[in-house]
Amino acid sequence: PAGIWSAGTAQRMVNMEGYLPGRQVVILGSGDIGLIMARRMTLEGAEVKAVAEVMPYSGGLKRNIVQCLDDFNIPLYLSTTVVEIHGQEHLTGVTLAQVDGKRLPIPGTERYIPCDTLLLSVGLLPENELTRQAGAALDAVTGGPVVDETLATSLPGVFACGNVLHVHDLVDYVSEEAAAAGRAAVRYLAQGETGERHEIPVTFEGGIRYTVPASIDPKLAAAVDAGKIEDAKLPDELSGALKTVEGLL
């Protein structure tokens, strides 16, 4: 039925298009976007009935739990998921149930909540449409492009950063990556390929799911440290454009 949206789509509708997705809202997933949308929907006049999280802990920052849920008396149900959706043409309600250690619903714990909107905050994917169309190699875990320590993709002269690369919690990290990718792109424009690469894949264990970069070139790093790869010198028009971008960052 109508009335089921991703939290990111609902965020765009409210922030950019001026639409309110619904009046009575249940949110599945306690990621930061879900938490922020709980507050935003409340401020816009909607009633957020509950936030349900299948894990025994929230996936969002502690400050977002406090500022977006606690301050507005919005309940957070942990180890809980949606087991049934009600409605034909439009959503009329959802049934929540607690889950066990295997994330399976526990019989007898169901509760029905009337609502006209269900927002899904159940994981984010990088904005990888252009990356895919361009044919760059993608990371199986992040869904974004595979990059080296210069943020270069598998395509010559193509660099990736921010939420194109992988989903970030804080915009500060996006800005830092953007500056690093911009410097690498400038160096590439001025100097082209710096020679044969000697990439070593980054390996990890102990619960780490992925790393960015996925590989490093020790010889390249040593050359940069030794000053053998100088900062790029661009024509005046490109140099001015670079300074403008750096000012925005």
Side-chain angles (χ1 to χ4, degrees):
I4 303 174
W5 310 91
S6 72
T9 298
Q11 187 178 46
R12 189 197 71 232
M13 292 173 66
V14 174
N15 292 346
M16 301 182 66
E17 300 176 14
Y19 298 136
L20 188 63
R23 293 290 180 181
Q24 295 182 315
V25 183
V26 171
I27 299 176
L28 177 62
S30 62
D32 287 312
I33 290 183
L35 298 175
I36 290 169
M37 282 307 295
R39 175 177 61 186
R40 186 60 191 272
M41 294 292 285
T42 300
L43 294 175
E44 292 295 330
E47 179 186 5
V48 179
K49 298 292 192 70
V51 174
E53 170 59 56
V54 72
M55 300 299 290
Y57 50 83
S58 171
L61 298 173
K62 178 63 177 179
R63 69 164 182 261
N64 284 335
I65 298 173
V66 173
Q67 296 173 1
C68 300
L69 299 187
D70 296 349
D71 289 354
F72 294 92
N73 297 315
I74 299 172
L76 171 62
Y77 300 125
L78 299 177
S79 298
T80 301
T81 191
V82 174
V83 294
E84 190 172 357
I85 293 173
H86 305 273
Q88 296 297 323
E89 298 297 325
H90 200 285
L91 184 68
T92 59
V94 298
T95 296
L96 304 181
Q98 296 177 15
V99 298
D100 58 22
K102 297 182 179 179
R103 303 182 198 173
L104 298 176
I106 301 174
T109 64
E110 299 85 358
R111 72 173 80 188
Y112 172 77
I113 300 180
C115 63
D116 59 18
T117 305
L118 174 64
L119 300 186
L120 304 176
S121 178
V122 291
L124 297 171
L125 293 175
E127 299 175 15
N128 62 6
E129 291 84 359
L130 289 177
T131 310
R132 235 186 302 115
Q133 292 175 18
L138 298 180
D139 187 286
V141 177
T142 67
V146 176
V147 298
D148 62 17
E149 73 274 27
T150 68
L151 299 177
T153 69
S154 60
L155 301 176
V158 178
F159 300 82
C161 62
N163 286 339
V164 167
L165 182 56
H166 66 111
V167 177
H168 291 64
D169 291 330
L170 298 175
V171 71
D172 308 65
Y173 301 146
V174 174
S175 298
E176 290 177 4
E177 272 185 1
R183 287 191 293 270
V186 167
R187 186 182 298 118
Y188 182 90
L189 285 173
Q191 302 176 351
E193 293 288 349
T194 56
E196 184 181 356
R197 302 301 302 271
H198 304 275
E199 295 294 332
I200 299 176
V202 176
T203 59
F204 44 86
E205 57 185 14
I208 298 174
R209 296 183 64 232
Y210 69 93
T211 65
V212 176
S215 63
I216 60 173
D217 183 346
K219 290 188 176 181
L220 174 63
V224 172
D225 290 341
K228 294 180 181 179
I229 299 179
E230 301 293 339
D231 288 338
K233 295 182 179 180
L234 296 179
D236 291 341
E237 60 272 18
L238 286 179
S239 180
L242 177 62
K243 290 180 179 179
T244 300
V245 172
E246 289 179 339
L248 293 174
L249 295 175

